[in-house]
Amino acid sequence: MIRSDWRGRGHPAYWAFLLHRLSGILLALFLPLHFLALGQALAREDALDALLAWTERPLVKLSEIVLVFLLAAHLAGGLRLLVVEFAGWRRESDKAIIAAAAGAAAFCALIYALNLI
Amino acid sequence: MNGTALTNGSTMRGPDKLLRVSVWRGGAGGRFKSYEVPRQDSQTVLDVVTWIQRRVDSSLAYRFACRVGMCGSCAMTVNGIPRWTCRAHVARVAADDRLEIAPLANLPIVRDLVVDMSEFFDKWARAKGRFVPTAKRRDDFARVRPSSPARRAADAAIECIGCAVCYAACDVVAWNPAYLGPAALNRAWTLVRDERDGAHRERLAAVAGDAGCHACHTHTLCAERCPARLSPTASIAGLKRATALAALRGEL
Amino acid sequence: MSARTETRVWAAQRASAAVLALCVAVHLATLIVAVHGGLSAAAILGRTRGSPAWAAFYTLFVVAVAIHAPLGLRTIAAEWLAWKSRTADIACTAVGIILLVLGIRAVVAVTL
């Protein structure tokens, strides 16, 4: 059988799905590391401080901003799905909701980034 | 005589614009074959396929019937997108005078541009997409208010002609072989909202689960592609609510 | 799984999502405020140590995530890896248990 390809997958709702799924995967991979890092405080406060010092590196800070974006995007996309599934999907308003979700996620990441400086 | 020599040996007079058309030939193990087709005004992709079959290769297999956009028989993949070829104007869909015509995706290929629609309709039946009457011969007609929310919801989704464009467009159909698909679920929704129907409980059981409405991820490829501008996305979301409510009440 | 069970799985995913919506919103706000003051163990633990409120909040957060993440991964495994079997379900449950254990450990670490 013929398989559909990338053509015809350029509409906003498809990007929304892709971002939601990929952000979910990346967050799921990040979470155990996050829990392990926080668990360091069980040992001594210094252990956590040592880890936090490591996170001061620019590449890590950049990853943090990306992670905040992914978290905010997954939240915003998820809220859209809750609305679609429990209040209904409307063709006319879907694009606006997607734009609002993307905007909110970018805004969160920006605020975080600005607070890092 | 002035004219453009075509690959099939005939000469074309008049405007010498040519379309470069790639058409799938053969079964699953087939390949694309190239043709040159004269371009005309108001030409549809179905016109192009017909031209090839009549003038170049009479063995080209394809389906069509009404050719005016109401039967859905001529659905094929045009430049990667499933469309009704009788309504796909070459001027709109062919960039750089190139066309790639393939059979519908997600369905077994019989030959060339013809797919086996059995699975599509089997899933329709499995989703209980059939009205189950309750009225008896001597009963009065059912009085259904057209403005009632239930009837308006059913009417919004009722115009499906079973062309399988949405089924061909859906990623979940490609990833999940058991998935009933947007058309079957959309039809089931119209019956869930039909107050005359007598199989509500069985139908909700039929459309629930990983092979049913719960597998939809709102890609909205179905609503994007539906030539009748239906929204299976909305219907499937409705099924999610209906099945959740039934599960809550212990009716599922 | 029966259609009824699969419906319940879907409902659990959405219910945990709703809880996470609130938790993540609070967490994002906390992150932004926290990082503004500079990130240090003292700053983080000063806020969370000995606080029953934070303990309750983060425990709820961890439980919701331990339900939500595995169910999401299960769907992805079925669709993109064609992995759909009892073994896949067991693997996803295992992921949930790991997240729960590591998560509760982290909550204990920062709130006790």
Side-chain angles (χ1 to χ4, degrees):
Chain A
M1 64 180 69
I2 296 284
R3 288 266 149 153
S4 281
D5 55 33
W6 55 270
R7 295 173 285 184
R9 270 152 184 67
H11 59 283
Y14 200 78
W15 292 118
F17 155 74
L18 221 54
L19 179 60
H20 199 242
R21 182 162 282 198
L22 293 176
S23 64
I25 294 171
L26 291 171
L27 288 167
L29 291 171
F30 164 73
L31 261 183
L33 305 172
H34 188 49
F35 288 160
L36 281 168
L38 289 168
Q40 287 290 80
L42 270 179
R44 317 171 315 264
E45 211 169 283
D46 323 33
L48 188 54
D49 264 320
L51 193 63
L52 289 170
W54 175 79
T55 66
E56 285 302 308
R57 302 153 82 118
L59 212 60
V60 181
K61 283 285 165 238
L62 189 63
S63 314
E64 279 180 18
I65 299 169
V66 170
L67 274 165
V68 167
F69 173 71
L70 292 177
L71 184 61
H74 198 80
L75 166 62
L79 285 174
R80 168 176 165 262
L81 286 179
L82 287 176
V83 165
V84 165
E85 293 184 345
F86 291 98
W89 183 80
R90 259 169 276 272
R91 191 189 293 266
E92 318 82 55
S93 54
D94 197 35
K95 257 191 227 162
I97 295 174
I98 293 168
F107 179 71
C108 270
L110 187 65
I111 298 288
Y112 181 81
L114 288 174
N115 275 283
L116 272 180
I117 304 169
Chain B
M1 186 68 89
N2 256 358
T4 313
L6 293 175
T7 45
N8 66 348
S10 65
T11 308
M12 179 186 73
R13 275 177 215 97
D16 51 8
K17 273 208 128 182
L18 282 180
L19 286 170
R20 272 156 302 180
V21 186
S22 243
V23 180
W24 185 266
R25 301 303 308 272
R31 56 181 188 82
F32 284 102
K33 203 167 165 200
S34 295
Y35 303 87
E36 280 176 339
V37 177
R39 189 154 181 176
Q40 279 144 45
D41 294 334
S42 299
Q43 185 182 40
T44 65
V45 175
L46 183 60
D47 292 334
V48 170
V49 173
T50 306
W51 191 94
I52 296 171
Q53 196 268 345
R54 285 183 185 171
R55 310 287 194 93
V56 182
D57 187 348
S58 59
S59 73
L60 174 61
Y62 68 105
R63 280 204 188 100
F64 78 101
C66 76
R67 70 211 184 351
V68 292
M70 50 180 287
C71 77
S73 307
C74 67
M76 301 174 206
T77 310
V78 180
N79 290 349
I81 295 172
R83 297 181 187 280
W84 291 349
T85 49
C86 68
R87 287 295 213 191
H89 279 259
V90 170
R92 256 196 296 118
V93 303
D96 314 322
D97 292 334
R98 281 181 192 282
L99 270 179
E100 185 193 89
I101 309 174
L104 281 181
N106 298 339
L107 287 164
I109 304 173
V110 176
R111 184 165 72 82
D112 301 341
L113 299 168
V114 178
V115 291
D116 184 351
M117 295 278 283
S118 315
E119 167 191 299
F120 176 78
F121 290 116
D122 284 347
K123 289 180 174 179
W124 192 290
R126 259 188 273 149
K128 300 254 182 295
R130 188 176 72 91
F131 178 71
V132 174
T134 50
K136 300 284 181 293
R137 173 180 283 258
R138 304 271 174 235
D139 287 344
D140 199 3
F141 291 113
R143 282 165 205 278
V144 180
R145 258 189 321 118
S147 58
S148 68
R151 196 60 233 169
R152 272 194 283 122
D155 287 343
I158 203 76
E159 301 291 342
C160 174
I161 59 174
C163 70
V165 160
C166 63
Y167 191 83
C170 180
D171 272 347
V172 182
V173 169
W175 299 335
N176 181 352
Y179 183 48
L180 295 174
L185 292 170
N186 179 73
R187 178 49 54 95
W189 173 243
T190 64
L191 293 164
V192 163
R193 299 309 267 150
D194 192 323
E195 57 189 72
R196 304 164 298 167
D197 181 270
H200 284 296
R201 218 171 151 149
E202 295 87 331
R203 190 170 296 103
L204 286 180
V207 301
D210 291 347
C213 64
H214 296 111
C216 170
H217 301 304
T218 318
H219 300 161
T220 76
L221 283 160
C222 54
E224 281 287 313
R225 297 289 153 234
C226 177
R229 299 289 284 169
L230 300 177
S231 304
T233 308
S235 303
I236 293 169
L239 287 175
K240 285 174 175 169
R241 289 191 290 282
T243 49
L245 207 60
L248 211 66
R249 292 183 181 147
E251 288 169 8
L252 199 64
Chain C
M1 271 194 206
S2 70
R4 182 162 9 113
T5 313
E6 288 169 353
T7 306
R8 297 234 165 94
V9 164
W10 173 88
Q13 184 68 336
R14 270 48 179 183
S16 60
V19 170
L20 284 171
L22 295 164
C23 291
V24 168
V26 169
H27 192 50
L28 279 170
T30 311
L31 285 181
I32 288 167
V33 167
V35 97
H36 184 73
L39 222 52
S40 76
I44 297 173
L45 298 172
R47 183 176 41 247
T48 58
R49 274 258 157 88
S51 163
W54 280 119
F57 171 75
Y58 282 122
T59 306
L60 180 68
F61 202 166
V62 165
V63 170
V65 151
I67 296 171
H68 191 81
L71 291 179
L73 292 172
R74 178 180 169 268
T75 303
I76 297 170
E79 291 183 352
W80 284 1
L81 303 174
W83 192 22
K84 194 183 169 74
S85 63
R86 196 96 194 88
T87 329
D89 289 347
I90 293 169
C92 286
T93 314
V95 168
I97 293 171
I98 291 169
L99 285 173
L100 191 65
V101 166
L102 289 180
I104 298 292
R105 175 176 172 267
V107 173
V108 166
V110 300
T111 59
L112 236 52

